[in-house]
Amino acid sequence: MKRNVAAVIVVGLVLTTGALAQPDSLWSRYYGGDSSEVLRGILVLADGSLILVGRCDSWGAGEADYWLLKTSASGDSLWSRFFGGASGDYPSGVESCSDAGFLLYGNTNSFGVGAQDIWLIRTDANGDSLWTRTFGGSNPEQTRSAGQTTDGGIYVAGWTESYGAGTEDFWLVRMSANGDSLWSRTFGGASNERCFTSLIGTDGNFYMAGDARSFSAGDKDVWLVAASPDGDSLWSRVYGGEFDEECRSIQRAADGGFLLIGGKNMDGADNWDVWVIRTDGSGNELWSRTYGGNANDFGGAAQILPDGGLVIGGDGRSFTAGDQDFWLLRLDADGDSLWSRLYGRDLDQVLWTLAVAPDGGYYLGGRAVPAEGFPSDFWLVKTGPDPSVNADEQFILHPSSFILSVYPNPFNPATTITFDLPKTTRAQLRIFDVTGRLVTTLADEHFSAGTHRVEFDGGGYPSGVCLAQLRTQDEVKTVKLILLK
């Protein structure tokens, strides 16, 4: 039965591992109703508030729906939106867009032409739908990755059973900013290939990773594919041995190489460890490491950090008092473990996503059972600052896109202008009125790659519309500002 009020429960956390300093948990929250919920994506917005996306069975139109939830920085619910039809619809994640809206991506059984199609939902900053699109054929398709391109368009990466050379193939679809299909490409052989993660390089190339059976040394191996901005295959690399390997996250290192994070079956008897592969910019392996114990441990989410190291979120069974806990693992740039920590209780917890918090801590998300006999809920965990990071260092997320956004907007009298630069460059941030007259220059200097924030105080200006323009040698972005007094 669908209910109309979400239950939010605050709980404490227990269980730690490792002898080095680790980030303590600050708080955790459950969000859910009388059926099952699973948190699949977290975004941290410029004002510190959070966007959560996941599967909801308790409310909505059908068997399962997309649930878009906005919370404060401390996890208090601000608003919710539900998207779905009469059948099961399963989100995989969420990405920010250059207009401060959101792109939700996943799979639908309610809409489209096949048994299961890829489903995209584009919303504004308030979570209201601007458009939706489905992609697929007569057989099932799935996606675990999507995002904006440098020209404001959209791409989605996953796998298809309707097209390509084998049963399942990597599938890359390129769209306009309005979601209209421009082209699609498949990559694979005679057997099964599944793409779980992707990114866009500063060169506009697409990099996709997952697992492959057509080219593997064992049953399935990790597969990394590079494609041009037009979707043409550039190169691919296979990593693996006698048993199964899988990849769930790809990260780009500062030197242009890649970090591939997932799992490795150590003995063929379903004993998995977290596996990290470090490559150069052409995908050639530099080193690989495994992390785990005597039971199943798997890395599903990751983020590269300013020191070149990694934070990996996954599921740990080797060190828990219960069945399965959130496991947070911190590595340096050479792959050496700095610390690890478990977050959980005596019931089952499964981690799907993580994000870096403004204070240098982490948000961890997934599903957990709040009490014996209850279904799973969204579970959001907030940790304290990472003790292995210098307090003077900022967490810069090294975006792959050139993005300009403003929040709040409308505003009175001040707002924050946030911009993401994929590379170090000189940038001008200026304010113009609607006639094109320069009002003020907020910044004109060299900025490093990453996320930057500039405050604009409109206290000395009259109410009305003005334009914020960010200009580099390669790109120009303009956003409309509304000052209301």
Side-chain angles (χ1 to χ4, degrees), residues 144 229 249 296 321 398:
R144 298 289 188 273
S249 179
N296 281 342
H398 298 295

Side-chain angles (χ1 to χ4, degrees), residues 339-354:
W339 52 257
S340 71
R341 176 152 186 156
L342 293 168
Y343 303 85
R345 301 166 62 235
D346 57 353
L347 301 172
D348 195 25
Q349 291 79 214
V350 178
L351 185 145
W352 279 102
T353 183
L354 68 80

Side-chain angles (χ1 to χ4, degrees), residues 223-248:
W223 195 33
L224 173 61
V225 176
S228 73
D230 295 322
D232 298 322
S233 178
L234 298 175
W235 50 260
S236 69
R237 302 286 185 268
V238 177
Y239 315 89
E242 180 181 0
F243 305 118
D244 287 353
E245 291 84 23
E246 298 180 359
C247 178
R248 292 294 182 270

Side-chain angles (χ1 to χ4, degrees), residues 408-429:
N409 192 23
F411 64 97
N412 178 26
T415 189
T416 300
I417 301 174
T418 302
F419 55 96
D420 292 351
L421 299 174
K423 64 181 181 180
T424 298
T425 186
R426 187 177 186 86
Q428 279 187 334
L429 180 60

